Structure formats: structure tokens, C-alpha cells
């Protein structure tokens, strides 16, 4: 950052910057992926991130409250003011921000958006929200959408899919996930890593299911982690760390392995950390995201053949089969809502069927590239049966040379031909895994 931009960053109002970042989400034109906090001063970046992600996490409830406070809806061109109102409500109801700051600083931020007229509107709404907190909450939380802070279509699907667990899933979606690390055991063992973290005043515990996983008591900047820059650690949820062991079992030295849909590269790196002798091809259709894969592998000192191509076709394939394939399929992300809370606004009910069709095409396109006797691990970060066991059951029905292997594990629960993990507060994300094997005589 130049000295000029540093100077500019220190003058940008953090609440106004957060409001600007939320406008694309509120209008379904963009996400929080790659949220740029560089517009604000360094000490405000954590607050900006907390405001943006927190508002999205509680969006249905906050919007219900806002509708109670506004005499009439704000115009579309004033979505930034709507975002400021949601930010103010989030501070009042969910954060330990003093009331005078939550109200005064938020209302005042309207001037930074060149909308001074809105300061009175915001001031009045937020003061009333503080005064009438119990009454307002009691009124809006009669609606399930506001009570659970989930869109109704998503609540309906969770209820149908998980009649006994849907409330637990919804509650977990509303709490930030813990920061979990993966130890690069090519360079350091987990016990030594835990000792080093403790010596640096960072409280951490070993993950229960992932043998290389560590969960931090408090999230922190990766630059504070001893060994991160040296490639000894990566940030990856515990459930995501379960993919590599399912694939690398019994692979021969130099085995050809494909990581389809590989970006951003966490699982690619984990595969190579476990088995650096693999001939791994990392494939993805998004060139920009492939640059992140290259960056990740570079930091960890790992090598793969990076391939920019669409895995629903086979134009990229040289005809030599792979002994193992990881298909981390694009999905609804309903198992990782707590980490990507803008899903609550951006995802639609109709997306599930569209994604299921894409998942079918990926399975059908990749299967012929798998060698007879080879294995394919199908993974999603979804809790929807339509994207998980139903996809594998349908694939098995139309693919005579495919069969599944039962996953023997102490994590998750059986889900048809695979295994499902549901998101847990202070625990892992929601994931689905299935292991498919191609008949040796195919």
C-alpha cells in the first residue's frame, strides 16, 4: 500500500465501508468472497469484517426488525442506508458495542456516503430499536424466518431433510465456525505444533476426527501463527481434512491422481502433503481461482500440474486414465453457511435442482477418465440429500461398472451410499462423502 492510500485508508469510516461492501449482497449482485478491507485503517479491518459477516449471518432477523422501524421501505438507490440500518441493529443486538456508539457512529456514517439526510432517519430508528428491543424482538420472532435467521425455503428444506436435526443445523449456521488449521506433517508433527502455539500464547486443541487438524480457541491473523509462512500450517476446516485420507489409501508410488474442481486448493495441498510422490493434476474451470491454487502450493513447496478446463467435458484429457479422482463438486454450500453467511441471501430454492444437474454431468464426464479398479471420492459441503446420497444413488443406477465402498469412520453418519457430517457449533462444517470404485474388468 502506498503512503497516499495508507493515508486515505485511515480516514474512511468503517461503518460506511461495511455498508458499501454489503450493497452487492443485499441486491444479489455479489458476495463477500474476497472481501477487501484495505479501504479502512488496519485497526478497523477486523470490525469491518465482523460487521459484514455478522449482518449476513443474521440477515433475515435484522431485515424483519428494519421493516418494523421504517415507515416505508428505502429506495433501491439507498441500499447503502438500508445496510447501515442493519449494521446499527447488528451492533445493538449482537455485539458488545456501547449504545451511544452503535447509534451515533452508524447514523453519522451516512455523511460518509454523502447522504446526510439519512442521519436523522437512522438515528430515530436505532434509538427506537434500543428503547423497544424486547417488544420488537417478540413481534418479529413469531415468524420462523426471523427467529431462525434463515430464508423460509431453506428452513423448509432442512426440515424435510433432517426432521430431527434441522434446529441444531440452523443454530450452528448462525454461529461463526472456529478457526481450524491443518498441520503439514511433512515438516512438523501435530504435537510439536501444539507446543509451539502454546509457547506463543495461542490456545489450541487437536481435532477429534482429523489427525492433522488443530482448532484454535480464538481466530487470529495467520501472520501471527508460528510456522505459517514457512508452510507448516494451513487454514482448513476439520471436515474438509477428511477428503485426502479417503483418496490416498493404497495408492501406488507415482499414481496419476486428478483433483477436479480443485480451487482454492486446500484439498489439493493436503493430498500432496500426505503423498508427495503422486502425479497430481489440479483442474478447475476458473482461471482466477487457479492462481490461488498455485499460490497455496508455492507457499507449501508442493507441485502439481495445473489445468484450466471445464470438468464437464473431456477435451482437456490426454486419454491416460487416473488411478484416483477427487470430485469436490460445486454445491449449495449449505454445510458451510456459518463461514459464507451471504448464502442466505444469494442462494435460491431452484439452485438445488440446477446444481444437482451439474453434479450429475461432472460424475458422468469424469467417470471414463478413471482407470478400472480406481476410486473416485465424491464430496460436497452440502447437507441437502438431493446433492449428496441421491446423486450417488442415481449415478450407480445408470453406471453398471460403478460400486461404492462403505466408509468405516467414527465421524458423521451413514447417508445412503455415503456419509454425512452436519455442521456443529465449535466443531466441523457440514460435508458429504462417498467413495466409488470402478470395476476392474471395465
Amino acid at each position: 500500500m502506498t503512503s497516499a492510500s495508507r493515508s486515505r485508508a485511515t480516514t474512511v469510516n468503517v461503518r460506511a465501508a461495511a455498508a458499501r461492501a454489503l450493497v452487492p449482497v443485499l441486491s444479489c449482485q455479489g458476495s463477500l468472497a474476497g472481501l477487501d478491507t484495505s479501504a479502512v485503517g488496519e485497526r478497523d479491518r477486523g470490525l469491518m469484517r465482523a460487521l459484514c459477516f455478522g449482518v449476513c449471518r443474521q440477515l433475515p432477523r435484522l431485515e424483519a426488525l428494519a421493516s418494523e422501524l421504517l415507515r416505508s421501505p428505502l429506495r433501491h438507490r439507498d441500499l447503502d442506508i438500508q445496510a447501515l440500518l442493519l449494521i446499527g441493529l447488528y451492533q445493538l443486538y449482537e455485539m458488545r458495542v456501547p449504545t451511544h456508539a452503535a447509534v451515533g457512529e452508524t447514523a453519522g456514517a451516512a455523511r460518509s456516503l454523502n447522504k446526510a439526510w439519512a442521519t436523522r432517519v437512522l438515528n430515530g430508528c436505532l434509538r427506537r430499536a434500543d428503547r423497544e428491543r424486547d417488544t420488537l424482538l417478540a413481534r418479529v420472532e413469531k415468524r420462523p424466518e426471523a427467529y431462525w435467521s434463515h430464508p423460509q425455503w431453506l428452513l423448509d428444506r432442512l426440515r424435510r431433510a433432517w426432521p430431527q436435526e434441522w434446529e441444531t443445523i440452523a443454530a450452528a449456521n448462525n454461529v461463526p465456525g472456529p478457526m481450524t488449521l491443518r498441520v503439514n506433517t511433512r515438516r512438523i508433527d501435530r504435537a510439536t505444533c501444539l507446543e509451539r502455539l502454546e509457547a506463543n500464547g495461542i490456545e489450541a486443541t487437536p481435532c477429534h476426527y482429523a489427525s492433522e487438524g488443530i482448532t484454535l480457541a480464538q481466530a487470529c491473523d495467520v501472520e501471527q501463527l508460528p510456522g505459517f509462512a514457512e508452510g507448516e500450517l494451513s487454514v482448513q476446516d476439520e471436515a474438509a481434512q477428511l477428503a485426502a485420507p479417503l483418496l490416498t489409501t493404497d495408492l501406488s508410488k507415482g499414481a496419476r491422481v486428478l483433483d477436479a474442481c480443485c480451487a482454492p486448493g486446500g484439498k489439493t495441498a493436503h493430498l500432496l502433503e500426505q503423498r508427495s510422490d503422486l502425479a497430481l493434476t489440479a483442474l478447475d474451470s476458473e482461471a482466477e481461482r487457479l492462481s490461488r491454487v498455485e499460490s497455496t502450493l508455492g507457499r507449501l513447496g508442493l507441485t502439481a500440474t495445473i489445468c484450466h478446463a471445464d470438468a464437464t467435458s473431456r477435451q482437456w484429457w490426454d486419454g491416460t486414465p487416473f488411478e484416483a479422482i477427487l470430485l469436490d463438486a460445486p454445491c449449495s454450500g449449505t454445510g458451510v453457511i456459518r463461514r459464507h453467511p451471504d448464502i442466505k441471501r444469494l442462494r435460491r430454492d431452484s439452485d438445488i435442482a440446477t446444481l444437482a444437474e451439474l453434479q450429475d454431468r461432472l460424475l458422468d464426464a469424469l467417470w471414463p477418465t478413471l482407470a478400472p479398479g480406481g476410486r473416485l471420492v465424491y464430496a460436497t459441503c452440502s447437507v441437502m440429500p438431493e446433492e449428496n446420497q441421491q446423486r450417488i444413488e442415481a449415478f450407480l443406477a445408470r453406471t453398471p461398472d460403478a460400486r461404492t465402498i462403505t466408509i468405516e469412520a467414527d465421524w458423521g453418519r451413514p447417508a445412503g451410499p455415503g456419509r454425512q457430517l452436519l455442521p456443529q457449533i465449535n466443531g466441523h462444517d457440514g460435508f458429504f462423502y462417498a467413495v466409488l470404485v470402478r470395476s476392474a474388468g471395465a
Side-chain angles (χ1 to χ4, degrees), residues 250-433:
D250 300 331
L251 282 179
S252 59
K253 184 178 180 181
R256 277 173 57 87
V257 175
L258 172 67
D259 184 0
C261 312
C262 68
K267 296 185 186 70
T268 313
H270 194 194
L271 286 167
L272 291 168
E273 286 173 2
Q274 288 204 329
R275 290 289 304 273
S276 60
D277 59 347
L278 299 177
L280 193 144
T281 298
L283 179 78
D284 203 275
S285 60
E286 297 186 34
E288 189 174 338
R289 282 162 57 83
L290 275 175
S291 66
R292 291 184 59 190
V293 179
E294 291 182 12
S295 174
T296 296
L297 296 182
R299 181 179 65 84
L300 297 170
L302 301 168
T303 303
T305 300
I306 306 293
C307 183
H308 176 212
D310 183 351
T312 59
S313 79
R314 286 192 289 275
Q315 294 179 351
W316 55 273
W317 187 40
D318 63 5
T320 305
F322 295 95
E323 292 170 50
I325 296 174
L326 172 61
L327 172 53
D328 189 9
C331 69
S332 61
T334 44
V336 292
I337 287 176
R338 57 186 187 168
R339 300 191 191 277
H340 304 280
D342 48 7
I343 286 173
K344 291 182 178 181
R345 170 52 60 92
L346 301 177
R347 196 61 80 199
R348 292 286 180 272
D349 192 18
S350 58
D351 291 344
I352 304 300
T354 303
L355 287 162
E357 191 269 337
L358 173 60
Q359 290 148 6
D360 284 347
R361 285 195 288 130
L362 285 165
L363 280 165
D364 290 341
L366 291 170
W367 191 250
T369 72
L370 182 67
R375 69 168 53 191
L376 183 150
V377 172
Y378 177 83
T380 75
C381 53
S382 168
V383 298
M384 296 300 172
E386 295 87 344
E387 299 181 89
N388 297 335
Q389 56 261 45
Q390 291 181 20
R391 297 281 56 74
I392 300 304
E393 287 165 351
F395 180 72
L396 291 170
R398 65 177 181 271
T399 313
D401 62 343
R403 63 181 176 85
T404 55
I405 293 178
T406 300
I407 299 173
E408 302 290 347
D410 59 350
W411 46 260
R413 63 191 67 197
R419 209 162 176 88
Q420 180 75 56
L421 299 108
L422 300 177
Q424 297 181 340
I425 294 175
N426 297 322
H428 54 67
D429 288 342
F431 259 73
F432 173 83
Y433 288 110

Side-chain angles (χ1 to χ4, degrees), residues 77-81 107 109-119:
R77 67 187 183 193
D78 295 322
L79 268 181
D80 48 358
I81 301 303
R111 296 189 188 91
S112 297
L113 299 171
N114 298 317
K115 294 183 178 178
W117 58 266
T119 55

Side-chain angles (χ1 to χ4, degrees), residues 189-204:
D189 62 74
R190 184 164 73 172
T192 304
C193 191
L194 283 164
E195 290 172 2
R196 192 182 295 177
L197 288 170
E198 183 180 12
N200 283 270
I202 300 173
E203 186 180 349

Side-chain angles (χ1 to χ4, degrees), residues 69-302:
L69 294 165
L70 290 165
R71 290 180 182 175
S72 59
L74 291 163
R75 298 167 295 186
H76 183 76
R77 67 187 183 193
D78 295 322
L79 268 181
D80 48 358
I81 301 303
Q82 174 81 5
L84 272 184
L85 177 55
L86 301 176
I87 287 169
L89 291 169
Y90 180 71
Q91 293 169 88
L92 284 174
Y93 289 10
E94 304 290 341
M95 296 181 80
R96 294 177 182 174
V97 177
T99 300
H100 68 87
V103 175
E105 295 293 327
T106 304
R111 296 189 188 91
S112 297
L113 299 171
N114 298 317
K115 294 183 178 178
W117 58 266
T119 55
R120 261 180 60 179
V121 176
L122 291 168
N123 198 54
C125 286
L126 293 175
R127 289 198 179 285
R128 186 181 156 209
D130 183 50
R131 259 192 336 265
E132 302 176 20
R133 172 189 301 247
D134 294 342
T135 303
L136 287 166
L137 282 174
R139 191 181 303 159
V140 303
E141 289 186 348
K142 289 177 182 175
R143 289 135 56 183
E145 190 175 14
Y147 181 82
W148 292 105
S149 267
H150 279 59
Q152 191 61 53
W153 71 266
L154 184 52
L155 286 178
D156 293 343
R157 279 192 177 269
L158 290 175
R159 277 198 192 98
R160 287 198 299 270
W162 302 100
Q164 305 299 319
E165 298 88 355
W166 73 269
E167 292 184 355
T168 305
I169 297 171
N173 288 346
N174 291 339
V175 180
M179 185 171 178
T180 306
L181 308 175
R182 185 187 74 243
V183 179
N184 182 356
T185 51
R186 296 172 67 232
R187 299 191 175 183
I188 187 172
D189 62 74
R190 184 164 73 172
T192 304
C193 191
L194 283 164
E195 290 172 2
R196 192 182 295 177
L197 288 170
E198 183 180 12
N200 283 270
I202 300 173
E203 186 180 349
T205 54
C207 289
H208 185 70
Y209 303 115
S211 61
E212 293 146 357
I214 287 176
T215 300
L216 301 186
Q218 297 290 331
C220 67
D221 194 312
V222 293
E223 293 177 3
Q224 298 175 24
L225 296 171
F228 182 85
E230 292 76 23
E232 295 175 356
L233 292 168
S234 296
V235 178
Q236 188 179 42
D237 180 76
E238 182 177 18
Q241 295 184 40
L242 302 173
L246 291 175
L247 198 75
T248 55
T249 303
D250 300 331
L251 282 179
S252 59
K253 184 178 180 181
R256 277 173 57 87
V257 175
L258 172 67
D259 184 0
C261 312
C262 68
K267 296 185 186 70
T268 313
H270 194 194
L271 286 167
L272 291 168
E273 286 173 2
Q274 288 204 329
R275 290 289 304 273
S276 60
D277 59 347
L278 299 177
L280 193 144
T281 298
L283 179 78
D284 203 275
S285 60
E286 297 186 34
E288 189 174 338
R289 282 162 57 83
L290 275 175
S291 66
R292 291 184 59 190
V293 179
E294 291 182 12
S295 174
T296 296
L297 296 182
R299 181 179 65 84
L300 297 170
L302 301 168

Side-chain angles (χ1 to χ4, degrees), residues 38-68:
S38 63
V40 301
E42 193 168 341
R43 70 176 185 177
D44 282 336
R45 289 175 189 170
L47 175 58
M48 180 177 169
R49 188 174 178 81
L51 291 174
C52 290
F53 280 78
V55 165
C56 286
R57 205 169 275 120
Q58 298 296 332
L59 192 54
R61 178 182 294 154
L62 297 175
E63 288 190 315
L65 288 165
S67 68
E68 294 284 333

